[in-house]
Amino acid sequence: MATVTLSVDGESHTLEVDADMPLLYALRDDLGKNNPRFGCGLAQCGACTVLIDGTPVRSCVLPVTAVNGEITTLNGLGSEAEPHPVQQAFIDEQVPFCGYCTNGWVMYSVAMLENNPEVTDAEMRRQFAGLKCRCGSHTAILRAVKKAADTMKV
Amino acid sequence: MTAMPVSRRNVLKGSGGLFVSFLLPESVLSQPGRLPSPLNRRLSPSQLDTYLSIDANGVITAFFGKTDMGQGVDVAIAQIVAEELDAALDQVQIIMGDSALCVNQGGASGSTAIESGARPLRNAAAQARQVLLELAAEALQVDSATLEITDGQVHVAGDSSRRVGFGDLIGNSHFDVTLDWNGAIGNGLNVTGQANPKTTDQYKLVGQSAPRRELPAIIFGTQEYIVDIKVPGMLHGRIIRPAVAGAAPLSTDTSSIADIPGVQVIHVGDFLGVVAEKEWHAIKASRQLSVQWSQVSGPFPASNDIYDHIRNEPVARESGGGGFGPDVPLDRENLDQQMAQADTVIEAEYEFPFQSHASMGPACAVCDVRNGQATLWTGSQKPHDAQVGVAALLDIPVEDVRSIWVLGPGTYGRNDAGDAALEAALMSRETGRPVRVQGMRHEGSGWDPKGPASIHRVRAGLDVNGNIIAYEFMSKGYSAGDMAAWERSPSDTYVGMLTGWPNATVHRFGTPGDRYEFPEKLQYWQTVCPLLEKASPLRTAHFRDPLGPQIHFASESFIDELAVATGKDPIDLRLEYLQDPRDRGVLEAVRERTNWQSRVPGPEIANAGTTVTGSGVAYTRRGNSVVAVVAEVEVNRTTGRVWPRKFTVVADQGKIINPLWLRRTLEGNIVMATSRTLWEEVTFDSNNVTSVDWVTYPILEMEDAPEEIDIVLIDHDDLPPYGAGEPSTRPVTAAIGNAIYDATGLRIRTAPFTPERIRTLIERGLAADIENASDQSV
């Protein structure tokens, strides 16, 4: 067992955990932060993504004891009153179907556009490599990310 | 108005057979955080208040016995109900898929949510409108004919000061109206009242684009999913599957998991699982537990032999009709005579693999079995079936199980969610605690029921003028669903098969849905027996547009082959044999929209350049929904990559309810079908399925997503709405394959169209060209 302190969406939590447990289970099981979701446990789909100091990380494979930085979940990114431009664009373009994977796409989009809102279509497609959507929302995601990019350029 | 009597259980006998209606046991009613008001309704298909209630604030609740798998069903039903009541859209909330609150309308099923599922709600709402007008006439002391309704307020026409709200009229009571019920339960359920629903020319909300109401919750992270359900005292469960399919656990050595706290092994019959207080401990224990398995020989042929295996297998069932109906004997005589008259006979054979539902999240369910009752939270798209299955497994009355559907990862048919429901029930029964079960990735991809593998042999006889005078379409494959009834019977679930429920393999398949009128036409199918009868990872079950992709890959590729063989334009050829105006309409519209240049399919110059482009067309019907698709593809002749840059889709879905979400639904269908066409194939070795994650079962990556999907909707005020959740799936594989032919001159007859398979096709094509060239030089 190990003692860890996690800072999630601006709140600090100290937990007693198995040292080999991935961050995902600390967030979901111990802290009730449900937006990162289990999809594969293999870092192959992105459904479990959180931002750590702004960088997307697959929480299903990162040992909780290896976390170093401020964790942001989808819920901590914005709200209906103050949406992140990416969240607003995902609503405007009515992106999700079942929405189980949406968390990962939003998180990667945020990191990508905050790094470079001038990203090209080809670069966008490349940077999304390794994210999965089973329902087929890909074309709507591209539309939304371009829309968010336009907002964030200004 | 009188409130319905409250009783714990009412068993009613209806003309459709025994069905059960009940109020909830107190223990279930007190489940935390799940119950909306108002609850004091007796569920009965013939009672108006089974479908609609209005609270004191005027909030209208519609109770819908189907589920919304993310295609905008919630908002479409709300539009329909609000329309009939002249309420505002945001006054209407939909509760769906809860067996205690909604009658069984079949769950998500065959794209029928709007086509059949909305009918009883529309009719009930129309009747409710009449009741509200009568109540208002009494309250306002006027003739009801002088009244109008605006946004849920009944008022005197031309005098909005004399008004009364829905909530004041009926908010403290219930609709006490008996409707005329057609006796059906499930998809076919319908009721009618005395009041007629509106005609389409009166529509204000129906036909308008409306966004989905649940999307903000999804995007801001407040939406509750099935995986988020937590119940006090809940344990986490995991299932342990054998390395060799069909092997049974003989014994376990719990000392192997002694270092993991709070683990209990559940070994019932041949079912093996673990539960723990913490989810991570359950996962670790499921990996670490030492298990002795029975020695069985691998049940499967190597997967590259699967099509030969199907060809060589004895036929289990043959029919010229639908899969669910009785056998329809084949009448070969006229076809054979006509085929014998043909000047030329063209023949081709197509192959389509097993495919996995591969939902984004492996299945999850939570079940709380206690005091002879059970509460189930399930992501299954058929919660009423899960209710019946859980009751059977637990051997308790159906009315003592409450099954609550909670949004989960998309299911696309009978995926692993149906199995998880019963797995959670068994583990809760064994532990006396609520249990949450979730699969791991290898279970979601490897052990879900699969879409069936098949071969399709198509022949056409042509006369001297190239007219098609005889046509034969044969499918041979694994059953479309070798389970009898989703999870209604434990026999059809993984855990049931492992705990002594007799297996019940069902044989069914189908035929193409086109309307080509050939002088002689024979369509039939044959099924073969499952490779492993019990608890197989290759069990087959409905997967989005069951049989649609495989059958129409063959039928619509073959029409393109006939266009090549007869030197005709593929749209012209189709129109030559189609009479129905809606069939012709979609093809004519797609021709116009794409500025289709009339031509025989194939490249103008063979083998020209590294990247070649082409266009392919396909048309299909599914029930009353008609779709034509043109795919424009790029083929890289070096890498074998196929990129469908653009699709043009013309869809005739009857009356359109919500154009925005009809478009989004069609777009999702096209993209998912593209994924299945280009990438998806279940692989296995002799022991087990080997496609068990996103590397071994790849699906579409963003890089290969289409640049544009241009959608044209044909609206009909004179037709009812027809289902849209699946029909545009089925033409996609053939449209892409036909475009590949147009680009390369090479015909692909095996799905998926992976880069490796395309490279092989191109290499063989080049070898054939060299052979032809040397033939000519002789």
Side-chain angles (χ1 to χ4, degrees):
Chain A
M1 296 293 276
T3 304
V4 295
T5 299
L6 301 175
S7 178
V8 187
D9 297 336
E11 282 180 31
S12 185
H13 307 269
T14 299
L15 302 171
E16 287 290 316
V17 294
D18 284 25
D20 60 351
M21 184 173 80
L23 171 62
L24 176 68
Y25 301 98
L27 293 172
R28 291 185 57 88
D29 212 13
D30 295 320
L31 301 178
K33 295 281 184 182
N34 286 334
N35 300 303
R37 279 183 275 276
F38 178 84
C40 64
L42 304 162
Q44 292 176 357
C45 76
C48 66
T49 303
V50 295
L51 299 177
I52 299 184
D53 292 339
T55 301
V57 171
R58 308 287 173 103
S59 70
C60 72
V61 291
L62 180 72
V64 63
T65 45
V67 175
N68 184 9
E70 168 68 28
I71 298 166
T72 306
T73 72
L74 183 66
N75 189 231
L77 196 62
S79 62
E80 279 203 75
E82 288 182 75
H84 189 283
V86 169
Q87 290 175 310
Q88 187 59 52
F90 268 59
I91 291 172
D92 292 345
E93 291 298 327
Q94 295 281 292
V95 170
F97 291 100
C98 80
Y100 194 88
C101 70
T102 304
N103 170 64
W105 294 97
V106 170
M107 290 306 199
Y108 270 80
S109 301
V110 166
M112 178 168 66
L113 296 182
E114 290 193 343
N115 184 45
N116 176 22
E118 306 284 344
V119 62
T120 63
D121 179 80
E123 183 58 26
M124 210 179 274
R125 287 169 179 262
R126 266 196 299 281
Q127 288 203 29
F128 281 135
L131 290 178
K132 301 293 188 294
C133 168
R134 186 64 173 134
C135 297
S137 65
H138 302 65
T139 41
I141 290 169
L142 289 175
R143 286 197 296 271
V145 177
K146 284 167 195 166
K147 189 168 201 168
D150 288 343
T151 311
M152 291 168 75
K153 278 177 206 166
V154 179
Chain B
M1 295 289 145
T2 53
M4 285 293 173
V6 175
S7 67
R8 190 176 157 277
R9 188 189 306 168
N10 294 301
V11 180
L12 307 176
K13 284 196 171 74
S15 59
L18 185 74
F19 67 94
V20 176
S21 173
F22 64 108
L23 269 179
L24 298 166
E26 284 305 313
S27 63
V28 175
L29 273 173
S30 61
Q31 291 292 345
R34 300 295 316 161
L35 293 175
S37 64
L39 275 173
N40 293 328
R41 304 146 56 240
R42 184 184 62 174
L43 285 188
S44 166
S46 61
Q47 292 304 307
L48 176 51
D49 74 346
T50 286
Y51 305 97
L52 278 179
S53 71
I54 298 177
D55 74 8
N57 297 319
V59 174
I60 300 156
T61 304
F63 300 90
F64 186 47
K66 287 184 166 291
T67 50
D68 182 351
M69 308 314 290
Q71 280 76 39
V73 170
D74 164 89
V75 69
I77 296 293
Q79 283 175 276
I80 288 165
V81 168
E83 181 71 67
E84 294 302 333
L85 286 165
D86 282 318
L89 186 59
D90 61 10
Q91 273 180 282
V92 180
Q93 63 168 345
I94 310 294
I95 289 178
M96 61 180 97
D98 183 332
S99 69
L101 303 176
C102 313
V103 287
N104 180 3
Q105 290 187 259
S109 174
S111 302
T112 58
I114 307 299
E115 184 169 338
S116 54
R119 289 182 310 179
L121 292 168
R122 178 187 291 114
N123 294 339
Q127 185 62 39
R129 184 182 197 278
Q130 184 177 305
V131 171
L132 290 162
L133 284 172
E134 285 164 7
L135 289 171
E138 204 178 306
L140 297 171
Q141 294 293 300
V142 294
D143 187 330
S144 67
T146 67
L147 294 172
E148 288 178 355
I149 306 178
T150 306
D151 290 347
Q153 297 277 326
V154 190
H155 58 88
V156 175
D159 181 3
S160 61
S161 69
R162 296 177 68 196
R163 64 194 158 94
V164 58
F166 285 178
D168 296 325
L169 290 171
I170 202 160
N172 295 310
S173 185
H174 291 265
F175 290 105
D176 184 16
V177 176
T178 300
L179 301 165
D180 187 7
W181 171 43
N182 69 355
I185 287 287
N187 290 343
L189 183 152
N190 197 12
V191 291
T192 46
Q194 291 166 347
N196 289 324
K198 287 183 180 177
T199 50
T200 50
D201 58 314
Q202 298 172 295
Y203 282 169
K204 287 176 283 206
L205 288 170
V206 168
Q208 303 298 313
S209 284
R212 273 170 63 199
R213 292 109 55 95
E214 64 277 28
L215 287 202
I218 291 175
I219 286 160
F220 295 111
T222 54
Q223 173 70 42
E224 185 178 60
Y225 281 84
I226 181 65
V227 293
D228 306 334
I229 296 291
K230 283 184 176 159
V231 178
M234 183 179 88
L235 295 169
H236 290 275
R238 283 296 182 282
I239 294 151
I240 301 173
R241 318 267 179 178
V244 181
L250 301 176
S251 63
T252 59
D253 176 4
T254 51
S255 69
S256 60
I257 52 169
D259 62 321
I260 308 172
V263 181
Q264 183 182 341
V265 174
I266 307 213
H267 187 169
V268 179
D270 293 338
F271 175 85
L272 184 63
V274 289
V275 292
E277 302 282 344
K278 303 283 285 182
E279 184 169 17
W280 178 241
H281 292 154
I283 293 169
K284 281 214 291 194
S286 71
R287 291 171 174 167
Q288 198 173 309
L289 179 66
S290 169
V291 183
Q292 194 191 344
W293 295 94
S294 65
Q295 295 296 311
V296 293
S297 56
F300 303 142
S303 62
N304 56 3
D305 294 330
I306 187 66
Y307 303 117
D308 276 343
H309 185 87
I310 291 170
R311 283 182 194 98
N312 296 329
E313 275 285 282
V315 174
R317 186 183 170 201
E318 179 180 79
S319 176
F324 288 106
D327 287 352
V328 175
L330 312 188
D331 181 3
R332 294 206 63 95
E333 197 180 333
N334 291 345
L335 179 93
D336 288 344
Q337 276 178 14
Q338 190 87 340
M339 203 67 89
Q341 307 282 316
D343 179 64
T344 314
V345 174
I346 310 282
E347 182 168 342
E349 198 165 292
Y350 304 85
E351 300 169 333
F352 201 91
F354 285 110
Q355 292 187 330
S356 169
H357 298 76
S359 293
M360 279 305 297
C364 179
V366 179
C367 195
D368 185 1
V369 181
R370 63 176 75 197
N371 304 325
Q373 298 177 337
T375 308
L376 171 73
W377 291 263
T378 176
S380 165
Q381 65 184 49
K382 290 185 180 284
H384 287 86
D385 280 3
Q387 177 196 22
V388 175
V390 163
L393 185 81
L394 300 174
D395 194 21
I396 60 176
V398 171
E399 58 269 27
D400 286 340
V401 178
R402 181 183 183 194
S403 176
I404 303 165
W405 173 76
V406 187
L407 180 64
T411 45
Y412 324 111
R414 170 57 168 90
N415 73 337
D416 43 344
D419 292 322
L422 274 68
E423 287 157 358
L426 181 117
M427 293 171 109
S428 178
R429 182 190 76 191
E430 293 300 306
T431 57
R433 301 262 299 268
V435 173
R436 173 189 185 274
V437 168
Q438 187 173 16
M440 302 304 286
R441 182 72 260 154
H442 71 276
E443 298 170 281
S445 299
W447 286 90
D448 70 308
K450 305 296 188 291
S454 53
I455 63 149
H456 307 270
R457 195 173 298 144
V458 203
R459 288 202 302 155
L462 308 174
D463 70 12
V464 286
N465 299 316
N467 297 309
I468 300 163
I469 59 168
Y471 174 90
E472 178 180 356
F473 188 98
M474 189 280 284
S475 300
K476 187 177 183 188
Y478 293 96
S479 175
D482 56 26
M483 53 185 64
W486 290 61
E487 62 266 22
R488 271 204 302 284
S489 165
S491 297
D492 294 330
T493 65
Y494 181 81
V495 64
M497 290 182 192
L498 295 176
T499 55
W501 288 80
N503 191 40
T505 296
V506 172
H507 286 275
R508 55 190 173 81
F509 214 84
T511 54
D514 62 65
R515 294 274 184 92
Y516 296 120
E517 295 182 15
F518 303 126
E520 283 299 331
K521 184 177 181 180
L522 177 67
Q523 301 183 142
Y524 64 103
W525 51 266
Q526 301 173 334
T527 56
V528 301
C529 285
L531 292 161
L532 172 64
E533 284 282 351
K534 194 171 112 176
S536 172
L538 290 175
R539 289 173 296 153
T540 56
H542 281 177
F543 177 29
R544 199 172 195 177
D545 191 14
L547 302 175
Q550 42 273 73
I551 285 178
H552 301 89
F553 166 43
S555 64
E556 283 296 295
S557 294
F558 189 70
I559 294 289
D560 205 66
E561 299 211 37
L562 291 177
V564 174
T566 58
K568 288 178 180 170
D569 174 78
I571 294 180
D572 288 344
L573 176 68
R574 285 172 171 84
L575 290 171
E576 225 178 287
Y577 296 94
L578 290 170
Q579 302 299 326
D580 185 300
R582 294 179 63 225
D583 293 316
R584 297 180 62 85
V586 292
L587 280 162
E588 283 160 356
V590 87
R591 178 161 65 185
E592 187 184 324
R593 185 73 168 194
T594 56
N595 291 316
W596 181 266
Q597 303 299 308
S598 182
R599 67 185 186 285
V600 181
E604 284 178 17
I605 307 164
N607 307 330
T610 301
T611 301
V612 289
T613 60
S615 300
V617 64
Y619 132 87
T620 52
R621 280 187 84 104
R622 187 180 198 273
N624 287 308
S625 300
V626 195
V627 181
V629 169
V630 166
E632 296 172 37
V633 308
E634 274 185 23
V635 182
N636 185 309
R637 297 176 67 255
T638 306
T639 63
R641 177 187 183 233
V642 175
W643 182 31
R645 283 188 83 119
K646 180 177 177 183
F647 290 95
T648 305
V649 183
V650 177
D652 179 342
Q653 307 277 169
K655 176 64 193 163
I656 296 168
I657 306 298
N658 180 346
L660 169 63
W661 269 91
L662 177 54
R663 284 176 184 280
R664 291 289 297 114
T665 297
L666 297 173
E667 201 176 349
N669 281 337
I670 297 291
V671 175
M672 188 173 181
T674 298
S675 175
R676 292 172 69 176
T677 299
L678 297 182
W679 298 106
E680 297 185 27
E681 176 167 24
V682 170
T683 59
F684 47 89
D685 60 20
S686 57
N687 286 336
N688 213 330
V689 168
T690 53
S691 47
V692 292
D693 57 25
W694 297 119
V695 172
T696 49
Y697 191 83
I699 63 172
L700 190 80
E701 286 281 334
M702 186 57 98
E703 189 177 5
D704 296 317
E707 221 166 34
E708 187 185 356
I709 301 176
D710 182 25
I711 295 169
V712 179
L713 302 176
I714 298 177
D715 197 5
H716 290 279
D717 279 338
D718 57 337
L719 293 175
Y722 298 128
E726 299 167 282
S728 45
T729 300
R730 52 180 53 186
V732 171
T733 308
I736 294 174
N738 295 343
I740 292 170
Y741 182 87
D742 192 44
T744 64
L746 300 167
R747 181 63 61 183
I748 185 150
R749 299 193 184 93
T750 303
F753 309 159
T754 57
E756 187 185 3
R757 192 164 273 139
I758 298 291
R759 283 201 305 273
T760 305
L761 190 73
I762 287 166
E763 282 156 19
R764 280 192 197 145
L766 287 174
D769 282 351
I770 291 163
E771 203 170 294
N772 288 342
S774 59
D775 284 351
Q776 284 162 14
S777 66
V778 170

